[in-house]
Amino acid sequence: MNQINAVILDWAGTTVDFGSFAPTSIFVEAFHQAFGIPITLEEARVPMGLGKWQHIDALGKLPSVAARWQNALGRPMSHADVDAIYAAFMPLQIRKVVDFATPIAGVTDTIRQLREQGIRIGSCSGYPRAVMEALVPAAAQQGYAPDHWVATDDLAAGGRPGPWMALENVIALGVDAVSHCIKVDDAVPGIAEGLNAGMWTLGLALSGNAFGATWQEYQNMSAAEVAQRRQQASETLYRAGAHYVVDTLAELPGVIAQINRRLARGERP
């Protein structure tokens, strides 16, 4: 049928880990552990959505981090340095990621609704397989288990912003057309991934990296601060090319209904 029959979901900040804190906090710790270089959570968020080795490499190219690195070590960050930070990052992330496996409010109900409509649930992540092998069962114990998942190091072609992880889900799930898929993500590289795969794209402005707050921080925020952060996050995701931007995954069924009407009129992403 000419309607959405699969969604491809990101993990941190989209389905689990409100605010996407598991990876960001570990980047800060890994930089300090490997080389004693301080970075901020805000800096750690900038390349979010990339594979983690690529994320570390991109962090080293941020002007503020590059200047700090040069001042401390007298040279730019090298690939060997990225390898060393990644080696510190991996065991920390594997150990900590299970603490951030709780599904975001509304996720399990939304997944149930989608499955009742016959919609398949794919997923992919900037996490490597070793981290996903810890995260996936931990999330399943708390009620979230997609039909398929792909890690950023699973495919020889690479990860985001390329389309390959999303397209691997299409193959595994037996989806008949990429235009019948929605890629859902809270970060710019994940939106680019969906666009490059020819899919509809949905950005999440409140639960993820762009908003950048814990659930408790969000609950305690003033309405004015929530509105300001939401607007900034929405603008970032729309600039990346998102077809739609909503607050959390709980609003996905309504977006699917809108896209189904557009598909019925012959529209494509």
Side-chain angles (χ1 to χ4, degrees):
M1 295 177 65
N2 193 22
Q3 62 184 27
I4 294 299
N5 53 41
V7 295
I8 316 299
L9 309 177
D10 179 47
W11 281 77
T14 296
T15 54
V16 299
D17 185 12
F18 189 97
S20 195
F21 278 88
T24 49
S25 60
I26 301 303
F27 284 124
V28 173
E29 190 170 348
F31 266 75
H32 178 74
Q33 179 175 303
F35 289 98
I37 304 294
I39 66 170
T40 67
L41 278 174
E42 290 72 23
E43 288 167 336
R45 289 188 180 282
V46 173
M48 191 58 68
L50 297 176
K52 301 315 175 194
W53 193 98
Q54 292 76 14
H55 188 130
I56 293 165
D57 187 49
L59 277 173
K61 294 179 171 65
L62 290 179
S64 57
V65 176
R68 216 173 294 137
W69 190 280
Q70 183 72 37
N71 289 339
L73 300 179
R75 57 177 174 78
M77 183 188 287
S78 68
H79 277 202
D81 296 331
V82 178
D83 288 340
I85 296 170
Y86 187 79
F89 169 87
M90 281 295 289
L92 291 170
Q93 188 69 89
I94 292 168
R95 187 166 66 250
K96 296 275 192 176
V97 75
V98 296
D99 297 332
F100 295 86
T102 302
I104 293 166
V107 166
T108 56
D109 285 343
T110 297
I111 298 302
R112 177 182 50 77
Q113 291 178 49
L114 299 185
R115 286 188 165 133
E116 288 173 354
Q117 298 173 42
I119 294 173
R120 283 154 277 183
I121 314 299
S123 70
C124 53
S125 176
Y127 284 135
R129 174 160 283 270
V131 175
M132 292 298 289
E133 287 175 343
L135 174 59
V136 170
Q141 288 177 358
Q142 300 189 62
Y144 172 60
D147 299 322
H148 188 67
W149 60 270
V150 181
T152 194
D153 57 349
D154 278 350
L155 305 175
R160 299 165 181 157
W164 306 289
M165 290 194 295
L167 294 176
E168 174 66 16
N169 274 278
V170 168
I171 294 168
L173 297 173
V175 179
D176 59 357
V178 292
S179 61
H180 296 165
C181 295
I182 305 175
K183 176 63 189 7
V184 186
D185 211 293
D186 64 294
V188 167
I191 297 299
E193 173 188 28
L195 295 172
N196 288 332
M199 299 176 178
W200 300 93
T201 57
L202 173 64
L204 303 184
L206 193 146
S207 65
N209 181 67
F211 194 86
T214 67
W215 175 257
Q216 191 60 49
E217 287 170 342
Y218 162 61
Q219 293 294 299
N220 293 332
M221 274 181 197
S222 67
E225 184 176 1
V226 170
Q228 179 186 22
R229 284 180 176 240
R230 177 189 285 118
Q231 180 178 352
Q232 291 173 343
S234 296
E235 289 173 354
T236 296
L237 293 164
Y238 274 127
R239 282 197 303 270
H243 296 98
Y244 298 86
V245 177
V246 297
D247 281 352
T248 72
L249 198 73
E251 296 171 75
L252 176 55
V255 174
I256 290 174
Q258 294 181 53
I259 293 175
N260 282 342
R261 290 192 289 271
R262 295 177 68 176
L263 287 169
R265 294 195 296 267
E267 296 184 45
R268 295 293 181 269

